[in-house]
Amino acid sequence: NKQYIENYNLGTQLNDVDEVLIVNNYNFDAICEGMMSVGCQKPKMYDSFNSAYKYISQKLDNNSVLLIENDLSDCYINF
C-alpha cells in the first residue's frame, strides 16, 4: 500500500543518520526494511516517546542534532 511504500522510502533516506529510534511499531517494518536495503543498522523500537527520549537524552551533547519526526504529512493520505 502507499503508506508502506512511503515509509519504506523514508527508511532509504536515513543512511547518513547515526541512530534511529522508532516509537511504537505501526510503521516499523516498512522503515526498517527501507533502512536495511541501503545498509543501515536496524532501528531501535520503543513503546513510548518517554522511554525513547530517556535513552537518547543520555547520548546527546552540545554538538548533537536530534530530529523528532512525528508522522508522514497528511498530504500522503489521499494519493
Side-chain angles (χ1 to χ4, degrees), residues 3 7 10 26-27 31 68-74 76-77:
Q3 180 172 334
N7 280 287
L10 171 65
Y26 190 68
N27 292 306
I31 295 169
I68 299 173
E69 177 65 38
N70 183 34
D71 203 345
L72 290 174
S73 172
D74 289 344
Y76 290 98
I77 292 174

Side-chain angles (χ1 to χ4, degrees), residues 25-61:
N25 65 354
Y26 190 68
N27 292 306
F28 180 83
D29 290 340
I31 295 169
C32 182
E33 289 173 20
M35 290 177 66
M36 304 290 276
S37 76
V38 294
C40 295
Q41 293 182 356
K42 186 175 181 179
K44 294 177 177 65
M45 190 182 71
Y46 290 86
D47 292 331
S48 70
F49 176 81
N50 287 341
S51 61
Y53 189 77
K54 181 178 179 182
Y55 166 79
I56 200 66
S57 65
Q58 297 172 9
K59 300 181 83 172
L60 299 175
D61 62 29

